[in-house]
Structure formats: C-alpha cells, structure tokens
Amino acid sequence: MRTRLTLVLSVVTVSVLTAQAPQDRNQPTFRGGANYVRVDMYATRDGEAVQDIQASELEVLENGVSQKIQDFEHVVVRTEEVRNERREVAGIRESREAAADPRSRVFIIFLDTYHTQTEGSTIMRKPLAAFLNRLLGPNDLVALMTPEMSGRDIALGYKTKVIEDIVSNEWWGRRARIAGKDPKEELYEECLGAIKPVLRGDVLLQEFIARRREKLTLDAIEDLMTHLGWLRDERKAVLLVTEGWLLFEPNPSLMKEVSKRLGGPVMPRAFEPPVLSPAERGPFTESRVRECEADFNALAAIDSERRFRDIWGDANRGNVTFYPVYARGLASFDAPIGPDYPPPIHVDMANLKTRHESLRTLAVETDGEAIIDTNYIEKGLKRIADDLSSYYLFGYYSTNTNLDGKYRSITVRVKRPGVRVRARRGYRARTAAEVAAAAVTGATVRPEITSALNTVVGSSSRSGFRIRPSAWVRSQGDSAAATVWIVGELDFRTRREPAWVNGARAEVLLLGADGRQAGMTQVEIPEGQGEFGIRVPTSGPLAPGDYAVRVRLRGRDAELSDTARVTIPGKTSPIGEAVIWRRGTSTGPQFVRTSDQRFQRSERLRLELAADATGAAARLLDRTGKAMQVPVQISERMDVADGIRWIVADLTLGALAPGDYAIEIAAGGAAQVTGFRIVP
C-alpha cells in the first residue's frame, strides 16, 4: 500500500476578475458547436503584458489555413479582495461546470513530495502563500495535487485559505526522509537484504527506490494531463514544485545484481555463506520473492525519458502550461545530506544538471517559465503571476468540418513588432460518435456509473481493515428474497503484524435503519489468509431500504472494525451486485476476494454476480460511460452448495492507463455497473 499524504483540497479567492468592458453588457457570449474552437492568448513585450491588442491585429491559422475570428475579449485580473464575491464549489460536478467558463482560469499546485527535500518544502512555504494571494481572482479555480493522488482526486474550487495554510505550515517534502517508508520500499529492502542486511549506501536499493518514485510521479502527472485534457479546452496552468528528475533509462544489468542477491546462477564469493533458497528464508515467502522480481524487472525496464516526452506532448494537446519551480533555490549539490552516502562529486553534479534540464525542457515545451538557480523564488513567482494577469479569449469556426478525431495545430500571430504571443497550440477534433453522444445525453454521465465510481473513492480510504457488501433481491415463488454477501480484507501491511499472523475471528452484524438486528454470524480467518467472504444469514425477510453492516475483527490482543451501508432494492432483479476478486504477484496463481476497488495494471480483475438469468454480456466503460475496445471475458459457474448460478467476468488490466473505469454486466433485461480504479 502507498502512504497517502493527507491534504485538504479547498481554495480561497483573494482578487477580482474584470474585463475591459462591463461584463453584463459587452462581454461576448462564446458559442459552441462541433467545429467551434476557443483559444486563449497571452501577449507580452519585454516581459510586460500588452493590454491593447485588437482582433483585427490577429492572424489565426489551423493546419496552415487562415481562420476568421468570431468572438474576442480581453480579460484582466485585479488583485483587490472582494469578500462578498467569495464562493465555494460543492463537489466534482460543480467544479467541472465552473471550469467550463472560459473566463475562469484553472491552476493546479503540484507538490512533488517524492522529489523534494524537507529543506525545499520549508523554503517554498512563504513564496507559495504569497503566490496564491497575488494570483487568484474570484472566478479562478485551483486545486492541490501530489504523486500520491490520481487526477480524479483533485477538487477544483474557489477557496484557497486551507491550501495556503498547508503550504505555509506542512513539511511535505519526502525525499531522503527516513521515517514514513511505504510498504513497497520496505519490501524491496527486505528482498535485497534477505541474505545479509542492507547497508547504508546500498546503491542497488537506492536506484530501485528512486526509479519507483520517479515512475509514481510521472504516473500522477500523466494522469493529471488526461484529467485536464477533457476538463475543458482553455488553458490550464500547473505550478510544479519539485527538485526535478533523473529520467531513468532501461538498464538490464540491474537484474544481474538482483539475481546475485536473490540466489541466481552466480556463484557466491569465497568466504561468504551460500545463497539460501526462498523456503529457508523464514517469513520471506515465495510469493514475496515473486512480487520483488516482478517489480524489479518492471523498474529496470522503465524509459522515463520517453514518458517525459509523451507528457509534454499531452500537455500541448490538452492546452496545459507548466511552471516548474526548483524547490531548494540556488543549490550546489544534488544529493541530500544523509542518511545514505552521496555519489562521487562528478556524478552528483551531472545529476543536478539533469534535474534542472528536465524542468527547463518542460517549461519551454509547454510555453511556461522555470524558476531555477535562484534564491529569489518569490520574485520569480510574482513574475509568473503578473504574466498570467492579462490574457485574451477568442473563438472561431474551423473551416475543417471533418469529424475525424485528428489533432489540428493552431498558430496565432500578432501584426505588431516586438510582441511575443503564447497561445493554444492545437486541439483534437471531435468524432461523429462524440457529437451524437453529446446530442443525446447532453454530455452527462449516467447516474449508475457515477454511483459505481463513487464507491471507488470510498475504497481509497483504508485503515488496515475494510469490508465491501453486495446484495441481490431475487424472485422466490410469489415473494422476493434478499441475500447479502460481505467481503472483508486486511491490507497487506496489517496482516504481517504479530496480532494477525495467526489468523482472526470476524463477527458480522446486519442492522436495520431502526437499529434492530437483521442478521448475525461469525467466521474464522485461517492463518496467513487475510481475507474472507460470507453470505450473511438473516433472521427474516429483508424489507427494502438501507442497512448497516458492521464487522468486528478480533486478533491476538488486537481488534479492528469497519462499517458499510448496503441497500436492498425495492424490486427483484435477475442479477445481483458484484463480488470482486483479484489476482496478481501478491496472490500467486489464484484469485482472492477483495474489498479494495483499486488495482495495478499487473493484476487481473474478476467480478462474480449471482444470477437467475443466462446469456450475459459485459463491456468496459471509461469514467464518462463510453464503451472501450477492451474485451471482458464472460463465463458462468454453479455453486452446488448454495444452488446459485454465478456470472463471471474476467478482465486483464495491462492495457489500461491509471484512472477510473467501470464494468457493465447485462443479463435478463437488467444491468449492474461496478467501478474500479487503476493506480500507479
């Protein structure tokens, strides 16, 4: 499991957005349509914003073809505080609606926790707080993100006070911090130290941890680009606080070193003990060896340089601008002061140069500005805020009416000497299917898909033990019968603690909305299992409505509990809600039940749905409800003991990028939608 940096994501406005003309009379109403394109443009001369450009001075080309401007507006952000205009955005849906306003600027503050030392996060406290106060207007939207989050986790809003408090007071930098290791890093240390303890300065361990942290950071930024790309067409700005990346390349020789540590064909050196087999390593089991080997192989093969190019390419297509800030200011050395030994001086200097160049490249390729090699960070942030305080919005109907989904480049020129222009570089045209879907659905997401994805958000917050209920109301003669299944799971780290290694007992209680007991049972969890699934016996027929399921887990001198809500529908259905299974490096060759709806790409996902109907069909949906061209295998099995037929859906996750998805199972005229998330 990954340790999450808990952040409250809300924002406060501290300034006023005004246009040159009064908004209620002279602001243009921006149009829409399949071939209508909106463009935002920033114009400067000698570093100062140009305030008086007219539409007649612009030349706009799309794929080299001249376009006619239909709407034009100049927007200026003022910095006076207007308290009565402060507002809040309630939920993801409202934030998306607010972001659709072309006059609302969108900012993401990305704190790269994995690649910022505590020193850097301390240095950035005051400049970030001043930047937020100076920059934001009442219509501006801002959110905070870290590598521990996905793009869907970010909550855009108008209030910035809480974020200001966080960046002012929290020591969020984790680079070189000893405390707070996540379970994966502890596993790597255990793997590479299985024969002899890992020593300070273990270069192999350091590289695998560094590769994983860089991968997680790039995964998060890549997911952010996906999220911002569909959020809206207008420009989005990302203030990236980091110390840069090394951009690792594939290195097959790393696995030779791993082979030596894990007992490969390499003979042990003289005077050293022979390599022990996995079975002789005590608690270091065969499944953990396989998990290590799978991770090490993947990390040795990563190509961060290629992914980095893809990220700034996606940023250009999604109209995203990066403003990287090197957190430590003017630095002489790259390596932190402890706890590990630093590399040779020439290696350290090369690493520092690579980190700086990666940030400069990201800024240049996305029309942003990098603040590097300076201790005057606040001055640099002020320059960025001033740069973003004045911009132009205009729109045109593309002369290319093909609904081909292809990328089209945009070139904007100003017929005035000495003026530098930064504008949207291009966009992806819509397809016929997208236009038809928007016309039919109004570009809204089906409620059942939203509900299914909301359960994934709930499964992201775990404290050692979590349960997940599933329900089915079926016809039984002239009446309806309700069945409730419960899956409980100890997370990987908790089940290794002494209190739980010898098994546990789960006490399950089903309560009605009035607090009365509707069902109760107990189940023994064998040693080393960590998960269970049971059908809850009920004291009588369950009436439609909400019920509470409480599970108390008792181990050796320890106790954990979790409570979840289960809804009994008011009508019968030929299929029930899904029970979720997973298979991956940590489970071995078998599937195991899970209450966690987060998966990695190396895993397989299985859904089992109790059903009276046959002839089921399944499809994979993205988070907007659009069907994806990834097959879901469907089969059936019969549970002889319970007399229940189960529809089984299997999905290989390797082809999916990090993000939220859903599987829709249809049978007998009914459908069930189950959400899940791919995490880095």
Side-chain angles (χ1 to χ4, degrees):
M1 296 295 150
R2 296 166 56 189
T3 302
R4 179 175 294 275
L5 176 65
T6 303
L7 299 172
V8 183
L9 307 180
S10 46
V11 229
V12 181
T13 64
V14 289
S15 47
V16 165
L17 178 67
T18 60
Q20 284 184 317
Q23 293 186 7
D24 58 342
R25 299 172 60 182
N26 296 330
Q27 275 192 355
T29 300
F30 282 88
R31 314 168 199 212
N35 65 328
Y36 185 81
V37 182
R38 279 198 296 264
V39 180
D40 45 24
M41 179 189 77
Y42 294 78
T44 58
R45 175 188 286 153
D46 299 328
E48 299 291 332
V50 179
Q51 308 283 358
D52 59 348
I53 291 179
Q54 305 299 316
S56 59
E57 297 181 84
L58 297 183
E59 181 184 13
V60 182
L61 306 176
E62 182 182 295
N63 285 349
V65 178
S66 180
Q67 307 293 316
K68 180 180 179 181
I69 296 177
Q70 300 288 336
D71 307 299
F72 183 82
E73 177 186 0
H74 180 209
V75 179
V76 180
V77 178
R78 306 298 184 189
T79 57
E80 297 84 6
E81 183 176 5
V82 181
R83 297 183 182 274
N84 60 3
E85 291 194 28
R86 290 182 177 176
R87 296 172 292 168
E88 292 188 10
V89 176
I92 299 295
R93 182 175 180 179
E94 283 193 19
S95 72
R96 292 173 182 170
E97 292 174 352
D101 183 353
R103 300 174 189 88
S104 296
R105 299 180 301 171
V106 172
F107 300 94
I108 306 297
I109 311 298
F110 191 101
L111 304 181
D112 187 358
T113 55
Y114 285 130
H115 299 92
T116 305
Q117 299 176 50
T118 302
E119 171 194 357
S121 60
T122 303
I123 291 173
M124 288 300 302
R125 291 184 302 174
K126 183 179 177 182
L128 275 178
F131 176 77
L132 291 170
N133 277 324
R134 180 178 293 116
L135 178 68
L136 298 175
N139 290 339
D140 293 337
L141 295 162
V142 66
L144 195 65
M145 184 172 177
T146 72
E148 293 87 353
M149 302 165 58
S150 74
R152 182 178 171 82
D153 289 332
I154 65 173
L156 289 165
Y158 296 115
K159 287 187 64 177
T160 58
K161 183 63 170 66
V162 176
I163 285 186
E164 180 183 329
D165 290 342
I166 289 172
V167 299
S168 297
N169 301 319
E170 289 289 332
W171 290 24
W172 46 265
R174 293 177 55 187
R175 184 183 174 196
R177 186 185 296 182
I178 300 175
K181 286 185 179 178
D182 65 21
K184 276 287 189 181
E185 294 183 6
E186 292 177 348
L187 175 63
Y188 296 168
E189 187 168 341
E190 184 179 345
C191 287
L192 297 179
I195 306 304
K196 58 183 180 180
V198 172
L199 302 176
R200 180 183 175 192
D202 188 309
V203 176
L204 186 62
L205 175 63
Q206 289 177 9
E207 174 146 356
F208 277 120
I209 290 177
R211 282 174 172 261
R212 177 175 179 269
R213 290 187 174 193
E214 186 170 279
K215 175 185 180 299
L216 294 177
T217 301
L218 296 182
D219 284 347
I221 296 176
E222 187 176 63
D223 189 50
L224 177 63
M225 293 303 97
T226 300
H227 178 78
L228 294 180
W230 59 258
L231 181 66
R232 69 179 204 165
D233 292 336
E234 288 74 29
R235 183 175 298 244
K236 287 78 62 174
V238 178
L239 183 70
L240 173 65
V241 182
T242 181
E243 292 172 18
W245 314 295
L246 296 179
L247 299 181
F248 289 102
E249 298 178 349
N251 186 359
S253 66
L254 290 175
M255 291 311 298
K256 296 180 181 179
E257 295 298 320
V258 171
S259 182
K260 296 178 184 179
R261 299 282 186 96
L262 297 183
V266 181
M267 295 296 293
R269 300 176 185 175
F271 307 110
E272 288 190 358
V275 175
L276 301 178
S277 67
E280 297 174 296
R281 297 175 186 171
F284 193 59
T285 61
E286 183 68 28
S287 64
R288 291 171 66 73
V289 173
R290 288 199 301 269
E291 183 177 355
C292 281
E293 289 178 333
D295 282 12
F296 291 158
N297 269 298
L299 293 173
I302 63 173
D303 187 349
S304 296
E305 178 68 42
R306 177 189 58 78
R307 293 194 64 198
F308 180 65
R309 292 194 299 270
D310 291 342
I311 284 172
W312 55 256
D314 291 341
N316 283 326
R317 283 185 286 274
N319 199 15
V320 178
T321 296
F322 277 91
Y323 295 90
V325 182
Y326 186 80
R328 286 195 293 142
L330 189 61
S332 301
F333 301 97
D334 175 59
I337 303 176
D340 296 314
Y341 294 120
I345 186 64
H346 68 280
V347 175
D348 186 88
M349 297 304 294
N351 289 345
L352 183 63
K353 181 180 178 181
T354 299
R355 293 182 191 276
H356 283 181
E357 288 179 349
S358 66
L359 300 184
R360 288 193 180 95
T361 299
L362 188 61
V364 169
E365 294 295 340
T366 61
D367 280 335
E369 182 176 349
I371 302 176
I372 299 173
D373 277 339
T374 178
N375 286 329
Y376 299 101
I377 294 177
E378 190 167 350
K379 183 178 179 181
L381 289 174
K382 180 181 182 301
R383 190 165 61 249
I384 292 175
D386 293 342
D387 178 57
L388 297 175
S389 65
S390 172
Y391 59 101
Y392 297 84
L393 288 174
F394 58 87
Y396 67 89
Y397 284 98
S398 173
T399 56
N400 185 349
T401 59
N402 295 330
L403 301 176
D404 52 19
K406 293 183 178 180
Y407 180 77
R408 301 172 183 174
S409 64
I410 297 175
T411 303
V412 179
R413 300 169 181 163
V414 176
K415 304 171 185 177
R416 189 185 298 189
V419 175
R420 180 195 174 201
V421 170
R422 302 196 320 278
R424 184 179 183 183
R425 293 189 174 189
Y427 71 101
R428 184 183 67 83
R430 301 174 77 180
T431 64
E434 289 171 340
V435 173
V440 173
T441 67
T444 59
V445 182
R446 290 159 47 196
E448 62 270 28
I449 296 174
T450 301
S451 176
L453 295 179
N454 285 339
T455 65
V456 181
V457 175
S459 75
S460 300
S461 177
R462 301 186 51 172
S463 57
F465 172 63
R466 184 171 181 84
I467 63 173
R468 181 181 183 274
S470 304
W472 182 33
V473 180
R474 63 189 297 194
S475 298
Q476 195 172 65
D478 296 331
S479 61
T483 303
V484 176
W485 288 272
I486 301 294
V487 173
E489 184 180 13
L490 280 166
D491 69 26
F492 182 73
R493 184 172 187 172
T494 303
R495 70 180 66 175
R496 296 169 55 199
E497 296 175 358
W500 308 103
V501 293
N502 295 322
R505 170 177 291 187
E507 300 172 354
V508 183
L509 186 64
L510 182 65
L511 300 171
D514 57 2
R516 296 183 181 181
Q517 180 176 308
M520 179 180 176
T521 188
Q522 294 185 0
V523 61
E524 296 291 334
I525 304 175
E527 176 181 349
Q529 182 168 310
E531 55 84 21
F532 66 89
I534 58 170
R535 178 177 178 177
V536 182
T538 58
S539 55
L542 298 179
D546 285 347
Y547 291 78
V549 179
R550 187 180 69 195
V551 178
R552 179 176 298 165
L553 200 65
R554 299 183 185 272
R556 189 182 70 185
D557 301 323
E559 182 178 303
L560 291 171
S561 64
D562 192 23
T563 303
R565 184 183 69 176
V566 59
T567 301
I568 304 300
K571 60 180 181 179
T572 61
S573 174
I575 56 175
E577 295 175 332
V579 176
I580 303 178
W581 300 67
R582 73 184 335 125
R583 193 182 82 184
T585 54
S586 61
T587 68
Q590 73 277 8
F591 280 92
V592 298
R593 289 160 297 206
T594 182
S595 60
D596 189 356
Q597 293 170 249
R598 298 171 299 168
F599 293 79
Q600 294 185 333
R601 296 174 61 194
S602 57
E603 295 182 295
R604 288 179 63 90
L605 166 65
R606 171 176 289 179
L607 303 181
E608 294 193 354
L609 299 84
D612 288 330
T614 58
R619 58 179 184 162
L620 178 67
L621 310 175
D622 64 15
R623 58 185 160 195
T624 67
K626 180 182 178 181
M628 302 180 64
Q629 299 301 314
V630 178
V632 181
Q633 299 178 0
I634 283 289
S635 60
E636 295 183 3
R637 71 173 180 87
M638 191 69 187
D639 191 330
V640 179
D642 288 339
I644 295 177
R645 178 190 294 111
W646 293 85
I647 296 172
V648 181
D650 282 305
L651 177 64
T652 301
L653 305 177
L656 303 182
D660 291 337
Y661 303 88
I663 296 177
E664 182 181 60
I665 310 292
Q672 290 284 1
V673 179
T674 306
F676 66 97
R677 173 175 293 175
I678 301 296
V679 297

